[in-house]
Amino acid sequence: MALCLWWPGFELELERVRTPSLADQPLALPTAGDRRRIEMGCALAASFGVEPGMIVSQAIALCPSLVLCEPDPDFHDAARDRILEILRLWSPVVERSADRGRLFVGVDGLERLYGPPGRQLAGLRARLRELSPWLASSACIGYAPGKFAAWVAARSAGSGRAASSARPAATVCVAPADLAAFLASQPIEVLPVSPRMVKRLRRLGVGRLGRLVRMPEQALVSQFGADGRRALAWARGERIDRVLPEAPARPIRVALDFPSPIGQLELLHAALDRLIHRALDHPRRRGKSVRGLRVSASLEDGGSWSIRAIAREPTSEPERLGAFLRSRIALDQPRRAVETLRLELFCFGPASAQAGLFDPREGAPHVLGSLETRNGELLSPFRRAARLLRLRLGGAALYRVLELEPESRLPERRHALMELA
């Protein structure tokens, strides 16, 4: 069994809580960048025709009273982190999603602690009320087998609440025996598939999951491949995705305050290089490469800015990390001068061949010189790794496997061994 907590328009509702004067105003959250578009709009803005993906100028033309909330990811992430702390004290199995306002909680075994589901949810709302009355009153909760059914139940609770603004936040509980009947009445938009697949299903006359269940599996697979088989399993209630517990992350955070706000990109890059070196020198980073990075800043006159990036290959070379972040900053620059710049390393990997094995900070300076070059020629990272491995193995021979004819029936023609010099 899984529990889904969903706050529709999470970021915009947080802005209403922070600024009470926006309570009755149509709000929208624009994207960052030069060509700004609407990322999210409230229900009042949607009644004027404002939709996600629309250009800001077009949205203002449709709704002249539209209030654009400046992106403040630090504030929104901090609010979600506080909710996560409350949930982890209530259940050890908590999983976040890409949507800040949607969280999943594993509830198996909680009946011994908190009683039946009704009492569990009442206790959870009481804990949220201690943090914020708004969080407790506006949370749409779904209780069902698996994450997909729990999300559909929370969405159903949210749609029922949207029909009457005076109606309090609802909770929809689905027993395992009622799962198939509950899913049959839901629209196909709830499926976690691509919008293109949803449009094609609509053209085929499939509007509800119950209609999808009656379609032959072979026909769905021939039309949509593996997505068709997964969609059918979700619609039938056969696929039960468990909530995956997350270990509380211990990211490495460093920050730099400026005496006066800086707006030049060159100064920002120089400050970022300093933060990268400070973060790599942290004791908890030693012996590990870096893959996930987040750069955030407090902006002049309020607001914040942040970018989150995952590198394809982990590394611990400052130059590579700096070039990677500068390329991301070029696509999404701060809109105002920066007062405080922060860097966070949150995803780590094993020691990389580029720097993890050969960086003097990693504890191998005595072999660095002999592994860097051969006959005065700079070795590639692969060759350096091979030489270090041969050194550790006591001079044993190393061979590289080459793929020659993979489809050959003769084993000796499929692969060959080449000794590494």
Side-chain angles (χ1 to χ4, degrees), residues 262-390:
I262 63 171
Q264 293 86 358
L265 200 58
E266 294 77 9
L267 296 179
L268 192 65
H269 290 169
L272 183 61
D273 291 337
R274 289 185 57 187
L275 291 179
I276 291 175
H277 282 86
R278 285 173 53 186
L280 292 179
D281 288 336
H282 197 281
R284 283 197 284 114
R285 208 282 313 170
R286 300 291 177 86
K288 294 181 289 187
S289 56
V290 179
R291 191 183 178 196
L293 307 98
R294 182 174 182 266
V295 182
S296 62
S298 299
L299 304 180
E300 189 179 15
D301 299 330
S304 62
W305 162 87
S306 72
I307 57 172
R308 184 177 183 272
I310 302 292
R312 291 184 179 180
E313 297 181 359
T315 182
S316 55
E317 287 187 352
E319 294 79 9
R320 294 184 62 187
L321 293 175
F324 176 61
L325 289 178
R326 283 192 289 271
S327 65
R328 298 300 301 268
I329 293 176
L331 300 175
D332 181 10
Q333 300 181 15
R335 301 186 64 85
R336 294 191 300 276
V338 174
E339 293 181 343
T340 302
L341 185 65
R342 292 177 289 271
L343 174 65
E344 177 181 315
L345 311 181
F346 62 87
C347 185
F348 303 95
S352 61
Q354 289 85 352
L357 293 176
F358 309 106
D359 193 339
R361 288 179 300 219
E362 304 297 340
H366 58 284
V367 297
L368 182 62
S370 61
L371 295 173
E372 285 284 350
T373 60
R374 180 186 179 186
N375 298 329
E377 183 181 355
L378 187 65
L379 293 177
S380 66
F382 178 79
R383 293 287 183 179
R384 284 184 288 170
R387 296 191 68 180
L388 179 61
L389 185 59
R390 185 183 290 108

Side-chain angles (χ1 to χ4, degrees), residues 84-330:
L84 287 172
E85 293 176 2
I86 295 294
L87 295 179
R88 290 194 179 107
L89 293 175
W90 188 72
S91 171
V93 183
V94 180
E95 181 181 350
R96 72 186 76 191
S97 66
D99 183 3
R100 288 192 184 96
R102 183 170 58 181
L103 304 171
F104 295 97
V105 183
V107 294
D108 291 332
L110 294 186
E111 292 189 3
R112 298 181 179 180
L113 295 176
Y114 309 121
R119 189 179 302 174
Q120 293 179 30
L121 301 181
L124 179 58
R125 287 193 186 274
R127 295 196 178 206
L128 293 175
R129 192 175 294 110
E130 295 177 359
L131 182 61
S132 169
W134 168 78
L135 289 175
S137 61
S138 60
C140 301
I141 301 179
Y143 190 102
K147 291 193 297 183
F148 170 69
W151 154 239
V152 176
R155 184 179 182 274
S156 179
S159 61
R161 181 173 179 266
S164 175
S165 59
R167 183 176 177 180
T171 301
V172 174
C173 296
V174 182
D178 303 330
L179 179 59
F182 168 74
L183 293 176
S185 62
Q186 300 299 319
I188 60 172
E189 283 77 10
V190 301
L191 289 173
V193 296
S194 64
R196 182 180 179 184
M197 181 176 175
V198 173
K199 289 183 180 180
R200 291 183 61 189
L201 287 173
R202 282 286 184 183
R203 292 175 182 174
L204 294 173
V206 180
R208 300 282 174 179
L209 297 185
R211 178 70 179 86
L212 182 66
V213 169
R214 293 193 293 270
M215 296 186 67
E217 182 177 353
Q218 294 181 353
L220 287 173
V221 173
S222 64
Q223 287 288 328
F224 306 104
D227 289 339
R229 181 179 288 109
R230 285 192 292 266
L232 188 60
W234 275 313
R236 289 175 176 173
E238 298 174 352
R239 178 167 177 170
I240 306 299
D241 298 320
R242 294 180 175 272
V243 180
L244 301 178
E246 294 182 354
R250 294 186 61 197
I252 297 175
R253 296 187 178 97
V254 290
L256 186 61
D257 295 324
F258 303 106
S260 59
I262 63 171
Q264 293 86 358
L265 200 58
E266 294 77 9
L267 296 179
L268 192 65
H269 290 169
L272 183 61
D273 291 337
R274 289 185 57 187
L275 291 179
I276 291 175
H277 282 86
R278 285 173 53 186
L280 292 179
D281 288 336
H282 197 281
R284 283 197 284 114
R285 208 282 313 170
R286 300 291 177 86
K288 294 181 289 187
S289 56
V290 179
R291 191 183 178 196
L293 307 98
R294 182 174 182 266
V295 182
S296 62
S298 299
L299 304 180
E300 189 179 15
D301 299 330
S304 62
W305 162 87
S306 72
I307 57 172
R308 184 177 183 272
I310 302 292
R312 291 184 179 180
E313 297 181 359
T315 182
S316 55
E317 287 187 352
E319 294 79 9
R320 294 184 62 187
L321 293 175
F324 176 61
L325 289 178
R326 283 192 289 271
S327 65
R328 298 300 301 268
I329 293 176

